[in-house]
Amino acid sequence: MKVGFIGLGAMGSAMASNLLAAGHTLTVWNRSVAATEPLASLGARVARSADRAAQGEVLCSMLANDQAVREVFLDGGLLDAMDRGTVHVNHATISVALARELAAEHEKRGLEYVAAPVFGRPDMAAAAKLNILVAGKPAAIERVRPLLEAMGSKLWPLGEAPERANVAKIAGNFMLASAIESMAEATALTRAHGVSAADFLDVMTNTLFAAPAYQGYGRLIAEQRFKPAGFALPLGYKDVGLALAAGEAQRVPLPFAGVLRDAMLEALAAGDAELDWSALALVAARRAHLDERE
Amino acid sequence: MKVGFIGLGAMGSAMASNLLAAGHTLTVWNRSVAATEPLASLGARVARSADRAAQGEVLCSMLANDQAVREVFLDGGLLDAMDRGTVHVNHATISVALARELAAEHEKRGLEYVAAPVFGRPDMAAAAKLNILVAGKPAAIERVRPLLEAMGSKLWPLGEAPERANVAKIAGNFMLASAIESMAEATALTRAHGVSAADFLDVMTNTLFAAPAYQGYGRLIAEQRFKPAGFALPLGYKDVGLALAAGEAQRVPLPFAGVLRDAMLEALAAGDAELDWSALALVAARRAHLDERE
Amino acid sequence: MKVGFIGLGAMGSAMASNLLAAGHTLTVWNRSVAATEPLASLGARVARSADRAAQGEVLCSMLANDQAVREVFLDGGLLDAMDRGTVHVNHATISVALARELAAEHEKRGLEYVAAPVFGRPDMAAAAKLNILVAGKPAAIERVRPLLEAMGSKLWPLGEAPERANVAKIAGNFMLASAIESMAEATALTRAHGVSAADFLDVMTNTLFAAPAYQGYGRLIAEQRFKPAGFALPLGYKDVGLALAAGEAQRVPLPFAGVLRDAMLEALAAGDAELDWSALALVAARRAHLDERE
Amino acid sequence: MKVGFIGLGAMGSAMASNLLAAGHTLTVWNRSVAATEPLASLGARVARSADRAAQGEVLCSMLANDQAVREVFLDGGLLDAMDRGTVHVNHATISVALARELAAEHEKRGLEYVAAPVFGRPDMAAAAKLNILVAGKPAAIERVRPLLEAMGSKLWPLGEAPERANVAKIAGNFMLASAIESMAEATALTRAHGVSAADFLDVMTNTLFAAPAYQGYGRLIAEQRFKPAGFALPLGYKDVGLALAAGEAQRVPLPFAGVLRDAMLEALAAGDAELDWSALALVAARRAHLDERE
């Protein structure tokens, strides 16, 4: 298939390379051109503008946030430049509000729109093992299914309205942040009573919480290894903000999200913006002044 | 080995039956005598008093809470009645404060004391698949190891001070409650945006959160099946209280535990005391007044 | 002085009438023209556009929120239409971010800008008893002092940077909301123990809390008289949002604001959007299911 | 009247001296005898035991907390030693649960019991300007009215059940703590935006919050003068605990109290146990890492 891909961060690059590997004809674009080089060496064409990358049957995009999506597709006029019938597959984690707006803007222009946010870190993207949440019109999803299957190990269909995939992604990231905070508080408690985070999390992540989310972040907390960040605090803060905004839109109180917001702000105030979001464990430990005791 | 077992609720009965199955000579006692009958039919002797059950080499106890443990062992004089050198294996989920007090009271009387709280529900206890946290003097633990191995699939040693096993159990239950609350809030959010709890949790509990804790409680939340309770709300409330008390003792703030406390109180105020603690999902849904919309 | 006034809600109308009463030449404008009539009958000229109202030495504005201010002054081009040297006195409760942006936009055009948000309800505005927070360049403030003194009983200077007045207003409203919530929770507690809100608040608001904020809202809570709203819940929700946004901008965690946000969302989910924000007391009572007991 | 007074801390001593000044015959007792000396020099008899101080018509007590009250009156046997018909006026801030228990224990022994907790600091006690909450049987209250009027400027009758006065006192102290926390967070916010706590609180405590509670604590926060403590953090923490316990007893969620609990624990973890509870402002400032910016 002739496919365009824009947004070549760590995730996007890995996803795009799997489209190439699956034999698709790929044209890529990225704001900073350096990120296109590895893909070019694998056989991708590098477009000079987003518009040019969008001339295939399908355009996949993996941009950083609402602002980037808005700048490229709406303010930057990319939607206006796309041919009727083109399918846009949006992998970004964006707000429910923008998801709705985008659905309407695509509709208005005769473009197909599929929301396909993903769970998985760059290594899973590289291994084509992403879990992909999908929402959009069935026919559009069928058209892009080969692409999604080349990038992920499993598709999770969530209905027609694109924002349904986005709210699920947002709620899932909220659960991740909550899991991290619960480990942060629990280990502050056990440490204060003499049980190390490593000993405690060894039990928990091999029994009741033997799941990828807990094992990955649990290891970082046990080893106090928050750098380099797999997923940096400001990104986590943004995602908690998306959950709060989605709650506001439909009037759903989210007390855990409020606690997360404050803990992340506290981490950012402490200057930890470059750390992984599992550094919430530092906040819990500082509040208990644990380092002054040990 | 000659073993006594007191406290024959659903957990204790299942654990005791595995001691019998492993060939140990078992004497049991329970406040209400009816609970002793199934074990008697399997070959256990039924003691007329707790004292008489405590005349073997080892006494295991699985009582409901601090109050029950205090009444039987301290106020009821059971510790005074035990022979020097007897090992008491305490499986109950009790406070760190009582754990410390018990350690001292056993020491004073020349009794051995092993804290061995467990993770697992009655069905896992019956299948001898409990995860057992263990803390106490190495020699005492070695003596009771065959018993613990007959009841659990894995032992998790946590050091000498018995309260270390208790704080880990308390922190673990706090993590469980947090996992439930995070699913409660997340599903309130997705439902308000049109994605059912079942659809959303299907994704999450088969991907990032593919762990027993999430799968079990996730199913109850997806199916709104809170009755009969596997673990009733008042027990969950008690356990969150143990976490808060352990935090207070060592001055560790636990904001998630504060949120849990209020949500559970709200459930109890609503008359949900007989429901499973996963009924926190009802509280989150009521706060968003979801049922009035759908 | 020749003064323009735009934004003639309950507050703005009362404030403008005091400018007339003090002998100033007043030109008014309001989006819906009906609101201009009472002032016209008192001698104000009614402008056909905001631009025309802005042709005096000073333009006062009392618009509803960030959006209204942005629409009129920035997107609507009012700033571009004003003569260099004109002083704009902005009484609205707006975000710190917009306050900064406005300061820069005025500066750029050679306009003077004074932030002058007020504390007080319409009856106090009518009586010229407002407390007015003022920030801006000293010379500009001196020029508009006679106007401010005609509208308020006291000016509170807060420095040169206009947003300083806004952050103080925002923080003050956050304190008001917190006072209401503390009465909401406290009276839920006393009611559950048999002491009525009226009896309890009678003590508190005549002793430790003998202040206007507590006495006014305390009366509404004691009498469960939330309608008609003096200050409706959505406005309160907006103001808590301004506090959270100001906290975010400078990385200041605000746990009380998080609690307020959730309680207000819960009230809005319950359909209480037309009630006074002291209806937070209903939320606290519902969480305790008090009405089902009494 | 022949009156006994036990518990001669700063509050109790000041209250007792006003009974002397009003011409009553006073016998005092205190655990540490030194505290009795100033009263002895004013004409009080010093009893060698609590029993002896309780031989008048009325016994007033102002002990520190539940534990002290329990030790003296219940475990220590003082209730058993008192003559039938004696009125016990209990000024202590105690739990609702103990208040109920005491009421029953007095009843059982034919003793009269009046709960009379007070609002006011030692200087107000010395000036006989306390606000006294009163609950008990009307006849008993009438008998002790002259004493209460000698110690306070106003009595606030709250009904017959003694615990009603206690829950009002507890809820009132919760409101005080909430007022402090709201100033703590609000000033962290304004400081981060360049407005000093002093400038901001000057506005607030002279306008909407022109009440003793805000003015007193506001001054301490503005001047960062937390030492010597007027009311030390551990006492505040105890009182928030009483509110949480009263909420638990009647299933009333108190989210503000949960936030207060965590903030106070954090202050205690920081080693601030000797500071006034208005030092919650330090916690809010530390969370925002304000001192590292200024």
Side-chain angles (χ1 to χ4, degrees), chain C residues 164 193-194 214 246 250 256 293, chain D residues 164 193-194 214 246 250 293:
Chain C
R164 293 167 57 99
H193 284 277
Y214 282 84
Q250 288 292 331
F256 263 20
R293 315 184 185 188
Chain D
R164 291 166 60 99
H193 284 278
Y214 282 85
Q250 289 292 329
R293 314 183 186 188

Side-chain angles (χ1 to χ4, degrees), chain C residues 3-285:
Chain C
V3 186
F5 202 113
I6 69 179
L8 300 171
M11 289 296 293
S13 295
M15 292 162 74
S17 70
N18 282 318
L19 294 181
L20 276 177
H24 298 287
T25 305
L26 193 70
T27 306
V28 300
W29 177 82
N30 193 61
R31 189 157 304 206
S32 104
V33 79
T36 61
E37 287 164 21
L39 288 160
S41 73
L42 293 171
R45 294 180 207 172
V46 177
R48 252 184 270 165
S49 68
D51 290 16
R52 298 225 178 173
Q55 292 171 357
E57 299 158 65
V58 177
L59 174 66
C60 297
S61 65
M62 183 47 146
L63 297 165
N65 50 33
D66 273 33
Q67 194 191 335
V69 171
R70 184 175 292 283
E71 279 173 15
V72 171
F73 284 92
L74 298 174
D75 302 343
L78 180 50
L79 283 197
D80 295 324
M82 288 167 67
D83 291 333
R84 294 180 70 86
T86 309
V87 188
H88 173 203
V89 183
N90 187 350
H91 297 292
T93 297
I94 57 169
S95 69
V96 172
L98 180 56
R100 286 213 181 109
E101 185 180 344
L102 285 172
E105 295 295 330
H106 283 76
E107 177 91 34
K108 206 186 289 180
R109 292 168 175 82
L111 301 167
E112 298 295 329
Y113 183 55
V114 173
V118 304
F119 284 118
R121 308 275 280 253
D123 57 337
M124 293 175 73
K129 291 200 170 155
L130 296 174
N131 281 285
I132 307 182
L133 310 177
V134 194
K137 296 212 187 99
I141 292 174
E142 280 320 300
R143 282 177 58 194
V144 301
R145 179 179 295 277
L147 306 177
L148 298 175
E149 288 177 344
M151 295 186 283
S153 57
K154 184 145 169 73
L155 308 191
W156 299 91
L158 285 161
E160 288 213 12
E163 71 265 22
R164 293 167 57 99
N166 296 103
V167 78
K169 168 67 179 170
I170 289 168
N173 276 16
F174 159 73
M175 281 178 61
L176 271 177
S178 297
I180 291 171
E181 173 68 14
S182 85
M183 287 191 278
E185 296 186 21
T187 54
L189 182 62
T190 64
R191 284 176 61 193
H193 284 277
V195 178
S196 74
D199 283 353
F200 172 66
L201 291 175
D202 185 38
V203 181
M204 301 314 296
T205 63
N206 285 296
T207 57
L208 293 167
F209 296 97
Y214 282 84
Q215 290 172 332
Y217 292 115
R219 200 172 308 118
L220 301 186
I221 291 171
E223 300 172 5
Q224 302 262 313
R225 188 160 44 82
F226 305 119
K227 228 172 155 173
F231 190 69
L233 268 163
L235 301 176
Y237 183 77
K238 183 205 76 168
D239 281 359
V240 169
L242 292 178
L244 289 165
E248 173 166 321
Q250 288 292 331
R251 300 178 171 179
V252 181
L254 297 172
F256 263 20
V259 171
L260 290 168
R261 182 189 175 284
D262 279 332
M264 286 173 168
L265 268 185
E266 190 169 338
L268 294 173
D272 291 344
E274 287 176 27
L275 303 190
D276 189 78
W277 65 340
S278 52
L280 284 176
L282 293 180
V283 175

Side-chain angles (χ1 to χ4, degrees), chain A residues 170-182 185 233 236-248 252-266 277 280 287, chain B residues 178 180-189 255-260 284 287, chain C residues 237 244 248 253-262 265:
Chain A
I170 290 167
N173 275 18
F174 159 73
M175 281 178 60
L176 271 177
S178 297
I180 291 170
E181 173 69 13
S182 84
E185 296 186 22
L233 268 163
Y237 182 77
K238 184 206 75 168
D239 282 359
V240 168
L242 292 179
L244 289 165
E248 173 166 322
V252 181
L254 297 172
F256 264 21
V259 171
L260 290 168
R261 183 188 175 281
D262 280 332
M264 286 174 167
L265 269 184
E266 189 169 340
W277 65 339
L280 284 176
R287 287 176 177 168
Chain B
S178 296
I180 291 171
E181 173 69 12
S182 86
M183 286 190 278
E185 296 186 22
T187 54
L189 182 62
F256 263 20
V259 171
L260 290 169
R287 286 176 177 168
Chain C
Y237 183 77
L244 289 165
E248 173 166 321
L254 297 172
F256 263 20
V259 171
L260 290 168
R261 182 189 175 284
D262 279 332
L265 268 185

